[in-house]
Amino acid sequence: IPISSDVPFEQVESTIIESSAGVQGLDPKYDVNVRLLEISKGSVVYCINAWVLDPSKADDIRSELLKIFHKKLKDKGIDLG
């Protein structure tokens, strides 16, 4: 997920983790992990790692997480990169 480089990592990470709390199908035994993949002039690319309970539903779970994350970014006024 590319995010504007003006947004502090801590804010992005906390928003991702906050977003994951409402997603059905994530394994609660494991924490959601946020990693930086790339830093460029205008954006930072993040990778979200999460364990799912049923791998056959991984695409739907990923989509739900991204929908919630996108809404929270907009609510907080955070620009995508």
Side-chain angles (χ1 to χ4, degrees), residues 30-58:
Y30 301 98
D31 293 332
V32 172
N33 184 297
V34 182
R35 296 180 183 201
L36 274 91
L37 291 183
E38 181 180 322
I39 298 173
S40 65
K41 184 176 181 179
S43 67
V44 177
V45 178
Y46 295 90
C47 177
I48 303 169
N49 294 303
W51 289 88
V52 296
L53 295 169
D54 182 353
S56 70
K57 296 181 181 177

Side-chain angles (χ1 to χ4, degrees), residues 3 9 20 30 34-35 38-39 41 46 50 54 60 63 67 70 73 79:
I3 305 290
F9 170 79
S20 69
Y30 301 98
V34 182
R35 296 180 183 201
E38 181 180 322
I39 298 173
K41 184 176 181 179
Y46 295 90
D54 182 353
D60 292 333
S63 178
K67 287 177 190 176
H70 186 254
L73 287 177
D79 293 327

Side-chain angles (χ1 to χ4, degrees), residues 1-4 7 11-21 23 48 61-81:
I1 299 173
I3 305 290
S4 172
V7 182
Q11 187 176 14
V12 174
E13 181 180 46
S14 67
T15 303
I16 291 169
I17 292 169
E18 178 185 327
S19 299
S20 69
V23 177
I48 303 169
I61 293 167
R62 178 179 186 264
S63 178
E64 186 62 25
L65 174 58
L66 291 175
K67 287 177 190 176
I68 294 169
F69 179 60
H70 186 254
K71 181 180 182 330
K72 288 190 182 291
L73 287 177
K74 290 215 171 258
D75 291 347
K76 294 180 179 189
I78 299 172
D79 293 327
L80 294 174

